[in-house]
Amino acid sequence: MELICPAGTPAAFREAVDAGADAVYCGFRDETNARNFPGLNFSREELRDAIAYARRHGTQTFVALNTFMRAGDEDLWYRGAADAVSLGADALILADFGLMAHVAERYPGQRLHVSVQASASNVDAINFLVDAFGAKRVVLPRTLTIADIARIAPRIRCEIEVFVFGGLCVMAEGRCSLSSYATGKSPNMNGVCSPASHVRYRQEGNELVSELGDYTINRFPAGEAAGYPTLCKGRFDIADSPAYAFEDPVSLDVMGEIDALAAAGVSALKIEGRQRGKAYVAEVVSTLKKALSADPARRAALLARLRSLSEGQKTTSGAYEKRWR
């Protein structure tokens, strides 16, 4: 299985390539991609240099144009697609059906991957995208079990890519409005979920309070590690008991299930983390690359090294097991 690795900066891109990534995914420095944060992403010149560096090392480059076009401003996404194609992207990762249609018509030779943001999670939806737009791969939402994937794989006409490590989104991806409601900034349209510009921390007695927009997301007593205030990972009062209603502030890690994923028909394993630094990218990519070729006994020891890099220093298999409360 291919290892698909994140890069939010040119430095992280080079680290991913040097660490053994089969492909690196990245995006332009604008709202055409779903990690549109200050200080991240690529200019056209930086992407050109990155693609050339990847080619010299036998690594592919996937360009994410995975937000939804805004009516009247479609040219921003069209230019992004045109530039990515002309710069030599090996694949475009798309979510908007209109943009898929545009790319399929204008650039019929360009490889098209369906973004997780498209939330294509059943046989009919995926095969529609293959037939209508020539999609070669689908990135499945993080809401399916391994058994679900195994049932889907033999009935679709494209490759399957799944997330195996990094940040965990448990929402119907591409449909979530929680961050938009709290901040006015949409992950689906503006490319920002729980943007740092709307994050605040304040001390209240013995507790550190985290806020997003006008909303309190969490309260951390003294001695408890404080997480980033992502709205779906907030701690809420439920039946007079504080608990994480949607998802705990932890990272996804299903690398222990890679043999089962391979048997289920998965072609590529994806790491989340374009907002993370180059040291994180280098350590995670190099460790997971070794884990892919290691026997199961040695694999566990390798993966244990990554626990300290995870959100809250904890990991979960998330919806792959679906052990909902």
Side-chain angles (χ1 to χ4, degrees):
M1 293 180 288
E2 296 177 8
L3 191 60
I4 315 301
C5 306
T9 64
F13 190 104
R14 291 190 295 273
E15 291 287 352
V17 171
D18 294 346
D22 294 299
V24 182
Y25 68 100
C26 56
F28 289 123
R29 197 171 292 141
D30 55 38
E31 59 196 276
T32 60
N33 88 87
R35 286 291 182 270
N36 181 27
F37 294 110
L40 289 186
N41 300 310
F42 290 67
S43 68
R44 269 55 175 175
E45 293 75 18
E46 288 168 339
L47 183 60
R48 180 196 61 219
D49 294 343
I51 290 174
Y53 185 84
R55 286 238 169 99
R56 290 197 298 272
H57 292 79
T59 303
Q60 292 190 312
T61 304
F62 301 163
V63 177
L65 299 161
N66 58 340
T67 51
F68 293 87
M69 296 191 293
R70 193 172 51 252
D73 292 318
E74 297 90 348
D75 280 350
L76 177 64
W77 283 262
Y78 293 163
R79 286 197 304 273
D83 290 344
V85 172
S86 67
L87 291 169
D90 294 288
L92 303 187
I93 306 172
L94 309 179
D96 187 293
F97 289 7
L99 187 56
M100 291 184 198
H102 173 83
V103 169
E105 180 181 334
R106 295 291 184 90
Y107 316 105
Q110 178 63 51
R111 187 175 172 90
L112 189 158
H113 291 182
V114 179
S115 169
V116 69
Q117 291 295 107
S119 206
S121 55
N122 62 61
V123 171
D124 289 339
I126 295 166
N127 281 336
F128 166 76
L129 298 173
V130 173
D131 294 340
F133 310 121
K136 296 294 190 290
R137 178 179 294 181
V138 60
V139 184
L140 291 178
R142 286 160 279 193
T143 51
L144 300 173
T145 64
I146 295 175
D148 291 333
I149 296 169
R151 282 191 292 269
I152 290 171
R155 298 170 60 197
I156 63 172
R157 296 184 291 278
C158 69
E159 300 166 358
I160 289 177
E161 181 174 313
V162 298
F163 281 93
V164 293
F165 193 88
L168 174 63
C169 179
V170 298
M171 300 298 134
E173 299 183 71
R175 309 289 185 271
C176 179
S177 297
L178 285 174
S179 179
S180 305
Y181 182 81
T183 69
K185 294 288 186 180
S186 166
N188 312 319
M189 302 285 287
N190 307 114
V192 287
C193 173
S194 305
S197 56
H198 289 69
V199 168
R200 290 187 302 277
Y201 294 92
R202 59 181 173 84
Q203 196 71 34
E204 189 176 286
N206 292 323
E207 295 181 321
L208 180 65
V209 178
S210 65
E211 298 175 331
L212 181 69
D214 295 328
Y215 297 90
T216 296
I217 305 302
N218 215 331
R219 294 174 178 272
F220 302 94
E224 182 179 351
Y228 189 86
T230 305
L231 191 49
C232 64
K233 297 183 180 181
R235 186 154 41 186
F236 302 95
D237 285 328
I238 305 167
D240 298 322
S241 176
Y244 293 102
F246 301 111
E247 181 58 80
D248 294 28
V250 295
S251 289
L252 176 69
D253 179 6
V254 288
M255 284 298 294
E257 303 291 339
I258 57 176
D259 293 331
L261 289 168
V266 171
S267 299
L269 306 176
K270 191 167 195 171
I271 303 168
E272 189 278 337
R274 281 194 282 155
Q275 71 278 25
R276 304 295 292 264
K278 65 177 185 177
Y280 172 92
V281 170
E283 180 67 17
V284 170
V285 175
S286 62
T287 301
L288 296 189
K289 189 71 174 178
K290 293 173 186 173
L292 277 173
S293 59
D295 61 76
R298 183 165 175 266
R299 189 181 298 154
L302 283 168
L303 297 177
R305 294 165 44 188
L306 300 180
R307 190 66 53 82
S308 63
L309 298 177
S310 300
E311 185 177 358
Q313 298 190 355
K314 298 177 183 177
T315 59
T316 177
S317 54
Y320 286 98
E321 289 187 286
K322 274 202 177 134
R323 294 185 295 185
W324 305 124
R325 285 187 294 276

